[in-house]
Amino acid sequence: MFRSTVDAWLQECPYCGYVAPSIDKGDAKARSFVDTPEFRAASLDPLAEPASRRFLVRSAQDAFYGDRRSAFLNTLRAAWVADDSGRASDATALRLRAAGHLGEGPLTSLDTRLLLLDVLRRAASWHAAAALIAELMAEELEHPFADIVAYHRRRIEVRDSGRHTIAEALARESEPDRGEADPELVKAIARHLKIVRKPGGSS
């Protein structure tokens, strides 16, 4: 699924308000979540328009069941909706909220940490982004992951919180021993900078 279709990734039951990728297929967890205070709070979120609210309800459900990564991703998708609606301050607040879902306990997934790095940069959370950069650089990552971290480090140094296309990401200073774009680097940057492909799964 492409980000341009993000507002169609989740459906909402018009009767009870539960949210799922497809309400006609049923979702037992989503249905039971409707009876919780967490559902009611998410349904009334002041930052949410309809598409954002669906992602925030799903994120609250994920958090309720202990799935930090999915809660993070769904809140990030709510931020994307805010981006596309021109609500920059709401998008920033939602990115910070998304990062908060990953704030307790260690993160073992490199892909998740790279996506978190982009979220922190887009939210202008420079101190947290720099700390994550230092953590990642200390691990002596191999290509292409070291390239991704270096790209973010340059953006953070100039306080660049903007959204970049993959072409822009690859238009950096070329390394002496690399004369053309590496296809594996293109794929890796695409994974964590551009889209998280499925609303209910991993990137």
Side-chain angles (χ1 to χ4, degrees):
M1 296 183 185
F2 293 98
R3 174 168 165 171
S4 60
T5 65
V6 67
D7 60 350
W9 289 2
L10 291 174
Q11 297 177 355
E12 181 178 357
C13 175
Y15 302 105
C16 67
Y18 91 94
V19 171
S22 179
I23 60 173
D24 62 348
K25 294 182 179 180
D27 186 324
K29 280 188 175 181
R31 290 182 186 277
S32 61
F33 181 64
V34 170
D35 297 325
T36 67
E38 288 82 359
F39 168 80
R40 290 189 289 276
S43 297
L44 298 173
D45 195 294
L47 293 183
E49 57 186 1
S52 289
R53 188 187 67 251
R54 292 193 292 273
F55 284 114
L56 291 176
V57 169
R58 195 70 175 184
S59 175
Q61 176 189 318
D62 295 329
F64 184 77
Y65 289 112
D67 188 343
R68 293 191 300 152
R69 176 178 166 81
S70 291
F72 163 71
L73 292 176
N74 277 313
T75 306
L76 176 57
R77 290 161 185 148
W80 290 352
V81 174
D83 281 336
D84 297 341
S85 300
R87 296 182 292 117
S89 61
D90 287 351
T92 295
L94 288 166
R95 281 187 168 85
L96 292 173
R97 188 188 302 184
H101 284 296
L102 300 178
E104 297 181 5
L107 296 175
T108 57
S109 165
L110 176 58
D111 186 64
T112 300
R113 288 185 291 159
L114 291 173
L115 186 55
L116 174 60
L117 179 57
D118 185 63
V119 165
L120 293 172
R121 182 187 63 78
R122 291 294 312 278
S125 184
W126 307 121
H127 180 75
L132 184 52
I133 286 280
E135 174 189 317
L136 289 164
M137 292 183 70
E139 295 179 17
E140 299 182 353
L141 300 175
E142 297 180 354
H143 171 75
F145 306 111
D147 301 84
I148 295 171
V149 173
Y151 169 74
H152 281 294
R153 178 174 54 81
R154 289 193 291 273
R155 302 280 65 74
I156 290 165
E157 286 174 351
V158 297
R159 296 298 189 259
D160 178 359
S161 62
R163 177 181 175 184
H164 295 282
T165 66
I166 297 190
E168 289 169 337
L170 293 175
R172 67 195 191 287
E173 295 180 8
S174 299
E175 295 180 19
D177 59 348
R178 190 177 301 152
E180 58 185 23
D182 187 310
E184 290 304 313
L185 177 58
V186 174
K187 292 177 184 177
I189 294 177
R191 286 184 66 200
H192 98 97
L193 281 184
K194 191 174 183 182
I195 57 173
V196 178
R197 301 188 66 87
K198 295 181 180 180
S202 60
S203 60

